[in-house]
Amino acid sequence: MKILVIEDDQEIARQVSSALRDVGYAVDNAYDGEEGHFLGDTESYDAIILDLGLPVMSGLSVLESWRKSGQTMPVLILSARDTWREKVTGLRTGADDYLAKPFEMEEMLARVEALVRRGAGQSNPVLVCGDIKLDTTTQKAFLKNETLSLTSMEYRLLSYFMHHPEAVISKTELSEHLYEYDADKDSNTIEVLINKLRNKLGATCIRTYRGRGYQLTANE
């Protein structure tokens, strides 16, 4: 799962990005509205955290442009502006949630988790596929109620599959949502990662559809 953080205060951006990476997200950063607008237009994100008071292009202008062009990714506004009018304006422009500065990092993470789930059509924080369970609040995965030991990339891959149950997901889509913007996206890496996860879940848990992609299924 990949998040874009658009925040011009580099210390806040660092803290937010670090907290998100600690719970398993890939994170891209932009420090002005123009750069953030470009990334949101050209990259795939499971949610975006957007500051309002950005240089070059305001956060509201960025959001308005995305929504007019049909971009539907969930957006959480972060802003020092805490009046009800600012919140209403942000929400009516197309934001999905609003969090005023200063904020507790745990609250920010909980709001992002909820946005990512809703964006994928999920409501329950515990995702289930057959014998596999993933608790998005604790970032723990289980197979037949036994805790799975996963690397950060294996967890990120399983999380994307669990948020999109029964979907056949292409290698390109997986790469877009697992890796940060400047990462080396070797196409063979996805296959290696899939095989490693298969070894931990069971060979039949991830099906390969030639020319189409991969599908997480319940154990047969």
Side-chain angles (χ1 to χ4, degrees), residues 24-103:
Y25 294 106
V27 183
D28 289 340
N29 290 99
Y31 302 102
D32 65 61
E34 186 174 69
E35 181 187 16
H37 180 268
F38 171 77
L39 287 174
D41 249 358
T42 57
E43 295 291 306
S44 297
Y45 294 100
D46 298 289
I48 293 178
I49 297 174
L50 175 67
D51 183 37
L52 289 185
L54 295 168
V56 186
M57 186 177 185
S58 75
L60 282 178
S61 296
V62 170
L63 180 58
E64 185 175 28
S65 178
W66 282 337
R67 294 316 190 213
K68 283 184 177 178
S69 67
Q71 298 280 12
T72 60
M73 60 283 193
V75 174
L76 168 64
I77 284 178
L78 290 185
S79 179
R81 308 168 188 175
D82 192 23
T83 68
W84 68 266
R85 285 187 175 83
E86 293 288 350
K87 292 180 181 179
V88 168
T89 300
L91 293 169
R92 285 182 172 169
T93 301
D96 299 272
D97 201 357
Y98 193 111
L99 186 59
K101 300 175 183 177
F103 55 88

Side-chain angles (χ1 to χ4, degrees), residues 169-189:
I169 305 171
S170 70
K171 189 186 297 185
T172 298
E173 182 177 344
L174 288 174
S175 180
E176 288 174 346
H177 288 267
L178 297 184
Y179 295 99
E180 296 175 357
Y181 180 70
D182 56 357
D184 182 15
K185 302 172 184 176
D186 185 337
S187 63
N188 292 328
T189 304

Side-chain angles (χ1 to χ4, degrees), residues 127 129 131-135 138-152 154-155 157-159 162 196-202 205-206 216 219:
L127 309 179
C129 180
D131 293 331
I132 308 165
K133 293 182 182 178
L134 187 142
D135 189 335
T138 62
Q139 298 81 50
K140 290 184 179 180
F142 305 88
L143 178 63
K144 297 181 179 178
N145 295 319
E146 294 291 328
T147 302
L148 281 167
S149 177
L150 302 175
T151 66
S152 60
E154 289 166 355
Y155 174 85
L157 174 61
L158 178 59
S159 178
M162 295 290 281
K196 287 182 177 179
L197 192 57
R198 273 197 184 112
N199 289 336
K200 294 183 179 182
L201 298 179
C205 281
I206 301 176
L216 183 71
N219 268 319

Side-chain angles (χ1 to χ4, degrees), residues 96-125:
D96 299 272
D97 201 357
Y98 193 111
L99 186 59
K101 300 175 183 177
F103 55 88
E104 294 294 331
M105 206 60 73
E106 197 68 25
E107 181 181 2
M108 182 276 296
L109 291 173
R111 289 174 182 268
V112 170
E113 289 164 16
L115 286 182
V116 169
R117 287 198 307 269
R118 291 203 298 269
Q122 302 286 341
S123 57
N124 195 320

